[in-house]
């Protein structure tokens, strides 16, 4: 009889760490470099210092194996394009002239060269640069960055594991290069890409890598059998290499589903899987395939993309189950910690009781290391941590902040009728026409007007105490007067107050709602050097007092035309915040919706006849798996209607969404039952208007005729031409005329000219309609 060899002690690891530094040093260095104020050497030095201090922090926290290669000046998918030599032809000369400047040219473009397209990294708020590939793409290996960063970590005496975007995910995230056939599938380039990965793997092994991690999050999305076969082939071939480090294939953000047996069978040395609630199905699925005998399993039990403390006992129990399913079980966060802020301990303004419930990157690494210790040495070894964790979880579960009885009672009393308008659209529209008396093809804007330097200065002055509330309000009122005067003079039909008082469309409301927290230092990377501070939905949500009525009513008092009230909708409030993990998202959405419903009611009572509830994030929060779409859309559309349905028939509800891919949610857009929707459409030449028409969308719509993403001024003929296209899809009685989105990032000169042209275009087309 042979004794079963004891499992090797559990190790603690992570897949990536925030890149920016504690004081956003990276942002400052990179932006300084762009402005010529920071030399390339100084930028490289700052980056190296940041990497070293991040590794040191991880090692000090008890992380046994640190990640390398996850650092980036801009984006790790762009780094992967550089690593495999996939530089688009238009950027080639810039890259050859200077690698660093060429890198930033791919990221940001130059005067005469478009950048790579940018899009969201799965269902996070991080944006990556989309690889552009064509049948002519020639891959070449450039392992310099990966090798250099591995060597830096090894030189510090640390155990280090390079992390790479895996070849299948890289190809699945790519799009056909301009000029390539639209149906070209980048995945068909796999056979050309694998030798390049083989070369990088050999280089990393030569540089001292024992393990290399290949990230394949694209395999948690719905994949065709052909795509799964391609993934199987990729890892069969990489596994068969002789000169290679051990391979750890990682997935995160959701369950692997059909891809799990594929990866479990692959001749690689380990898998890293997400075991948080969102991917809980991985546990049974792993057991069902008989586990990973002879392999390493890295268990992502600490949520890497949310800000709440872990339930250590639950995680230990998951880890205990996993012990029987693999040779070696290590502990990690579910995904890179890139998606959370660095350190909750630096927050000074958060109630200490709530602070105990929060875990940012630093706190998460401590949890991971505690769990690894508990797994290796038994729970007695972490008794103190377990007791503290139990107490923190209990304080959260029983706190009046997370259980406001008044909010709960109100949510419980919501009926189906609350999320339905009292009259159908056919009746409402008659009442609205009589009440608003708008011309055919009414003109309006999406809400914000240019956020000028003066407005930002006014906010800074208020924060610094250089002006008082009254002084600040005077400046806002004066801005509203200017914005109103311009719109009247330009001849716009439905006016807005311009949102000058809003720093950000989510934060502005979060700051005024009870249960919502703002952080002082909770920066996370959105893209490149852009960082955002998402607010935290920490408790039950209520609205102590009106949030927007004062400004809208002031604007209303200045004009005889209708002024549109502007609110951010419940789905977008959730999408751009850190959400609660102790109740279903739909419950949180319903609480936010009820608070916003009160605001809608107060706006109506103050004489506002048009109210817009923005939901630009409705499409982007769609779950990764199609099987989960219906449940999401059900609560999302219900929350919108709960916000907007309490008004009289003659009050007109608008909504607004950006981005171009609506095809798969047209039904949900219809289910919002908004009277009017404005959508981004200018760049796609009114594509959404045709999609709405094909669906039989029964209400009013304003596909944008002015692309606000660039300072370019569309002339009146161009806007009129788009409008005529819109009329091909949507009848004149239901067509609105508006820009693609808000104007806050634009300057005044181009805003003035563009809106004047937009009104001219509307008048021209109205003339054509009445003549015919
Ligand atoms: N009302 C907002 C604005 O105009 C909408 C912004 C958005 O759609 N992202 O700025
Ligand atoms: Zn928009």
């Amino acid at each position: 009889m042979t004794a079963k060899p004891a499992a090797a002690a559990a190790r603690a690891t992570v897949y990536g760490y925030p890149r920016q530094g504690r004081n956003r040093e990276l942002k400052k260095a990179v932006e300084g470099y762009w402005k010529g104020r920071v030399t390339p050497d100084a930028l490289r030095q700052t980056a190296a210092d940041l990497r070293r201090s991040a590794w040191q922090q991880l090692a000090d926290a008890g992380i046994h194996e640190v990640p390398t290669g996850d650092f980036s000046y801009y984006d790790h998918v762009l780094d992967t394009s550089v690593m495999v030599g996939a530089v688009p032809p238009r950027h080639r000369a810039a890259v050859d002239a200077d690698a660093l400047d060429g890198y930033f040219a791919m990221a940001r473009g130059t005067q005469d060269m478009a950048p790579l397209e940018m899009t969201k990294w799965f269902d996070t708020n991080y944006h990556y640069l989309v690889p552009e590939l064509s049948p002519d793409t020639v891959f070449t290996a450039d392992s310099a960055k990966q090798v250099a960063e591995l060597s830096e970590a090894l030189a510090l005496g640390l155990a280090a594991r390079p992390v790479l975007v895996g070849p299948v995910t890289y190809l699945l995230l790519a799009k056909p290069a301009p000029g390539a056939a639209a149906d070209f599938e980048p995945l068909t380039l796999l056979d050309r890409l694998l030798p390049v990965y083989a070369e990088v793997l050999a280089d990393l092994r030569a540089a001292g890598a024992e393990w290399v991690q290949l990230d394949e999050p694209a395999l948690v999305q719905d994949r065709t059998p052909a795509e799964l076969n391609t993934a199987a082939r990729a890892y069969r071939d990489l596994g068969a290499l002789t000169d290679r480090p051990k391979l750890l294939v990682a997935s995160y953000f959701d369950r692997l589903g059909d891809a799990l047996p594929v990866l479990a069978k692959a001749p690689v040395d380990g898998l890293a899987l997400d075991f948080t609630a969102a991917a809980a199905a991985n546990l049974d699925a792993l057991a069902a395939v008989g586990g990973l005998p002879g392999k390493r399993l890295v268990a992502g039990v600490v949520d890497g993309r949310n800000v709440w403390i872990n339930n250590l006992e639950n995680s230990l129990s998951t880890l205990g189950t996993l012990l029987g399913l693999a040779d070696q079980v290590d502990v990690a966060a579910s995904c890179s910690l890139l998606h959370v802020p660095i350190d909750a301990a630096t927050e000074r303004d958060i109630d200490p009781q709530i602070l105990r419930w929060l875990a940012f990157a630093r706190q998460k690494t401590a949890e991971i290391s505690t769990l690894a210790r508990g797994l290796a040495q038994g729970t007695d070894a972490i008794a103190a941590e377990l007791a503290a964790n139990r107490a923190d979880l209990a304080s959260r579960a029983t706190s009046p902040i997370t259980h406001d009885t008044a909010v709960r009672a109100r949510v419980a009393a919501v009926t189906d009728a609350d999320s339905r308008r009292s009259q159908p659209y056919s009746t409402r529209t008659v009442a609205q026409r009589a009440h608003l008396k708008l011309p055919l093809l009414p003109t309006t804007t999406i809400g914000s007007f240019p956020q000028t330097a003066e407005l930002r200065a006014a906010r800074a002055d208020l924060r610094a105490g250089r002006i008082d509330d009254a002084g600040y309000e005077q400046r806002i009122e004066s801005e509203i007067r200017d914005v109103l005067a311009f719109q009247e003079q330009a001849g716009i039909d439905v006016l807005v107050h311009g949102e000058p008082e809003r720093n950000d469309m989510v934060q502005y409301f979060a700051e005024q709602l009870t249960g919502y927290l703002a952080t002082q230092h909770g920066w996370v990377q959105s893209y490149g050097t852009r960082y955002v501070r998402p607010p935290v939905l920490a408790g039950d949500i209520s609205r102590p007092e009106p949030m927007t009525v004062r400004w809208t009513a002031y604007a209303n008092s200045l004009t005889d035309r209708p002024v549109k009230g502007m609110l951010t909708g419940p789905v977008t409030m959730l999408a751009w915040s850190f959400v609660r993990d102790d109740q279903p998202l739909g419950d949180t959405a319903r609480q936010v919706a009820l608070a916003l419903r009160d605001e809608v009611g107060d706006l109506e009572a103050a004489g506002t006849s048009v109210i817009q509830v923005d939901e630009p994030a409705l499409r982007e929060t769609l779950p990764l798996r199609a099987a989960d779409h219906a449940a999401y859309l059900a609560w999302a559309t219900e929350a919108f209607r709960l916000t907007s349905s309490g008004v009289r028939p003659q009050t007109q509800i608008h909504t607004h969404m950006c981005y171009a891919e609506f095809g798969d949610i047209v039904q949900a857009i219809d289910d919002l039952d908004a009277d009017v929707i404005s959508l981004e459409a200018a760049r796609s030449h009114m594509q959404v208007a045709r999609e709405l028409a094909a669906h039989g969308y029964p209400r009013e719509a304003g596909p944008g005729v002015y692309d606000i993403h660039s300072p370019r001024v569309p002339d009146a003929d161009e806007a009129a031409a788009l409008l005529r296209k819109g009329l091909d899809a949507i009848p004149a009685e239901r067509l609105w005329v508006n820009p693609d989105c808000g104007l806050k990032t634009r300057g005044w000169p181009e805003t003035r000219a563009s809106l004047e042209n937009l009104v001219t275009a509307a008048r021209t087309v109205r003339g054509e309609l009445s003549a015919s």
Side-chain angles (χ1 to χ4, degrees):
M1 227 170 78
T2 53
K4 191 172 178 258
R11 281 170 292 183
T13 190
V14 297
Y15 314 159
Y17 205 63
R19 300 158 177 163
Q20 76 266 32
R22 298 183 77 84
N23 300 303
R24 287 188 294 155
E25 289 90 343
L26 186 62
K27 174 188 173 72
K28 288 167 202 161
V30 170
E31 289 179 351
Y33 174 75
W34 292 341
K35 293 186 184 123
R37 283 200 223 109
V38 171
T39 64
D41 283 344
L43 174 58
R44 287 192 189 99
Q45 190 56 51
T46 301
D49 292 344
L50 287 170
R51 286 192 292 267
R52 184 165 29 78
S53 87
W55 288 323
Q56 211 59 65
Q57 230 172 74
L58 289 170
D60 291 348
I63 297 296
H64 299 110
E65 197 179 60
V66 301
T68 68
D70 62 306
F71 176 86
S72 181
Y73 284 123
Y74 203 95
D75 164 44
H76 57 273
V77 180
L78 177 60
D79 295 337
T80 311
S81 290
V82 172
M83 181 185 88
V84 303
V87 174
R90 69 178 180 284
H91 298 124
R92 180 45 78 187
V95 170
D96 288 346
D98 182 288
L100 192 56
D101 289 344
Y103 174 86
F104 287 130
M106 282 193 275
R108 311 168 66 220
T110 61
Q111 202 50 270
D112 35 39
M113 199 197 307
L116 291 169
E117 195 181 294
M118 193 165 67
T119 195
K120 284 163 85 63
W121 175 246
F122 301 92
D123 57 351
T124 72
N125 284 322
Y126 176 82
H127 299 70
Y128 70 93
L129 290 159
V130 183
E132 287 178 11
L133 304 177
S134 81
D136 302 329
T137 300
V138 177
F139 295 114
T140 51
D142 176 357
S143 55
K145 174 183 183 292
Q146 283 288 345
V147 167
E149 292 177 17
L150 171 66
S151 307
E152 287 171 15
L154 294 177
L156 294 171
L158 302 170
R161 185 185 70 250
V163 177
L164 276 58
V165 175
V168 179
T169 290
Y170 179 75
L171 293 173
L172 287 170
L173 293 181
K175 63 165 213 172
D183 63 352
F184 167 69
E185 288 184 28
L187 198 56
T188 56
L189 299 178
L190 181 74
D191 289 331
R192 270 190 246 167
L193 183 61
L194 287 180
V196 168
Y197 269 79
E199 211 176 316
V200 173
L201 290 171
D203 290 349
L204 286 169
R205 183 182 178 193
E210 184 192 354
W211 284 88
V212 168
Q213 176 175 330
L214 294 163
D215 282 3
E216 294 289 6
L219 297 180
V220 308
Q221 293 171 305
D222 295 317
R223 289 296 161 204
T224 64
E227 288 167 339
L228 291 176
N229 278 337
T230 306
R233 198 155 54 79
Y235 284 96
R236 190 194 60 212
D237 290 2
L238 291 176
L241 295 170
T242 47
D243 182 17
R244 66 162 176 88
K246 293 180 191 161
L247 299 180
L248 176 72
V249 182
S251 64
Y252 35 81
F253 299 146
D254 209 325
R255 58 193 183 273
L256 267 176
D258 292 341
L260 193 138
V262 171
L263 291 181
K265 266 186 253 142
V268 296
D269 310 276
L271 297 188
L273 299 181
D274 186 338
F275 291 105
T276 60
N282 274 339
L283 189 57
D284 287 344
L286 187 63
V289 298
L292 302 173
K295 291 185 182 172
R296 175 185 187 186
L297 173 64
V298 177
V301 288
V302 168
D303 193 335
R305 54 185 298 190
N306 211 333
V307 291
W308 304 105
I309 52 170
N310 188 253
N311 184 321
L312 296 179
E313 261 159 25
N314 285 355
S315 295
L316 279 173
S317 131
T318 302
L319 291 166
T321 309
L322 293 172
L323 273 185
L325 292 174
D327 256 32
Q328 160 86 32
V329 176
D330 291 331
V331 186
S334 57
C335 60
S336 168
L337 296 175
L338 178 68
H339 307 292
V340 291
I342 292 193
D343 188 359
T346 59
E347 295 299 329
R348 297 273 167 261
D349 292 348
I350 295 180
D351 175 345
Q353 186 194 349
I354 299 181
L355 206 51
R356 291 166 57 200
W357 312 337
L358 291 175
F360 294 178
R362 216 179 121 209
Q363 288 71 34
K364 285 178 190 291
T365 55
E367 292 178 340
I368 293 164
S369 127
T370 299
L371 288 167
R373 219 158 7 100
L375 192 59
Q377 302 166 21
T379 48
D380 285 355
I382 56 166
E385 287 89 341
L386 285 175
N389 181 246
R390 226 176 281 127
D392 292 345
L393 291 171
S395 105
R396 185 175 174 206
T398 55
S399 161
I401 298 164
T402 54
H403 292 82
D404 180 321
T405 42
V407 173
R408 302 230 148 206
R410 190 166 173 214
V411 170
V414 166
T415 65
D416 221 32
D418 292 333
S419 59
R420 302 277 166 205
R421 297 285 295 265
S422 62
Q423 301 293 326
Y425 170 73
S426 53
T427 313
R428 292 177 340 233
T429 184
V430 175
Q432 289 164 19
R433 276 168 215 278
H435 183 61
L436 294 169
K437 301 190 179 64
L438 296 171
L440 206 57
L441 306 181
T443 52
T444 190
T445 61
I446 308 306
S448 59
F449 267 71
Q451 277 276 342
T452 57
E454 290 77 39
L455 285 171
R456 281 193 292 272
R459 254 193 294 285
D461 285 348
L462 177 67
R463 270 197 307 274
R466 286 186 291 269
I467 54 174
D468 59 7
D469 283 347
Y472 176 71
E473 290 178 7
Q474 269 167 26
R475 292 204 208 173
I476 296 295
E477 285 188 353
S478 128
E479 180 70 20
I480 292 176
R481 282 195 300 278
D482 290 350
V483 168
L484 265 287
F486 165 72
Q487 294 174 90
E488 287 210 309
Q489 170 228 314
I492 293 177
D493 301 306
V494 174
L495 312 190
V496 296
H497 78 289
E499 305 179 21
E501 77 287 10
R502 302 189 190 174
N503 39 12
D504 171 275
M505 66 184 288
V506 170
Q507 198 184 331
Y508 178 77
F509 293 96
E511 280 171 0
Q512 300 185 69
L513 290 167
T514 301
Y516 237 127
L517 300 181
T519 69
Q520 262 181 313
H521 308 287
W523 298 102
V524 291
Q525 188 176 12
S526 172
Y527 64 86
T529 59
R530 182 167 159 76
Y531 290 87
V532 295
R533 259 182 317 180
V536 181
L537 280 153
D540 286 348
I541 296 298
S542 58
R543 186 197 69 143
E545 53 185 54
M547 305 180 283
T548 65
V549 176
R550 182 195 187 304
W551 305 118
T552 307
Y554 178 69
N556 231 334
S557 74
L558 301 172
T559 180
D560 294 331
R561 299 183 186 212
V563 173
K564 185 160 64 161
M566 309 297 306
L567 302 176
T568 302
V571 183
T572 301
M573 293 293 293
L574 264 64
W576 296 346
S577 304
F578 287 113
V579 291
R580 291 176 70 162
D581 65 348
D582 59 348
Q583 64 182 19
L585 283 178
D587 292 4
T588 305
R590 209 167 288 142
Q591 292 182 358
V592 175
L594 286 173
L596 293 169
R597 180 185 178 93
D598 293 344
E599 188 72 16
V600 169
D602 284 342
L603 280 169
E604 183 183 57
T608 313
S609 310
V610 183
I611 299 170
Q612 178 169 312
V613 179
D614 290 324
E615 285 292 20
L618 184 72
R619 169 70 181 76
E620 66 181 58
T621 322
L622 205 59
L624 295 174
R625 294 258 182 199
D628 303 330
H629 288 185
Y632 159 73
L633 290 171
W635 68 250
T637 54
E638 195 225 38
F640 179 91
R641 291 195 313 269
L642 193 54
T643 300
S644 58
S645 293
V647 294
R648 292 189 291 263
Q650 69 264 37
T651 299
Q652 189 170 63
I653 295 291
H654 288 220
T655 188
H656 165 72
M657 290 176 199
C658 332
Y659 313 117
E661 287 149 30
F662 295 106
D664 40 354
I665 57 157
V666 185
Q667 182 58 50
I669 291 177
D670 192 352
D671 290 342
L672 299 179
D673 197 25
D675 298 301
V676 183
I677 180 166
S678 59
L679 295 153
E680 179 178 319
R683 275 196 196 177
S684 65
H685 306 286
M686 298 289 177
Q687 171 71 15
V688 292
R690 292 184 290 274
E691 282 169 3
L692 288 178
H695 168 79
Y697 187 77
R699 292 176 294 277
E700 294 156 57
V705 294
Y706 158 24
D707 171 11
I708 58 86
H709 299 96
S710 94
R712 194 178 155 274
V713 175
D715 63 32
D717 289 345
E718 184 182 328
L722 284 175
L723 212 44
R724 288 186 204 105
K725 275 202 166 162
L727 279 173
D728 289 342
I730 298 169
E733 305 70 48
R734 293 198 273 112
L735 188 64
W736 283 67
V737 186
N738 47 259
D740 270 349
C741 192
L743 301 161
K744 62 180 165 239
T745 57
R746 295 273 58 89
W748 264 109
E750 74 252 24
T751 294
R752 262 190 216 103
S754 302
L755 291 178
E756 281 162 7
N757 291 347
L758 182 147
V759 171
T760 306
R763 287 181 179 152
T764 305
V765 178
R766 278 174 204 154
E768 293 165 8
L769 287 171
S770 64
S772 68

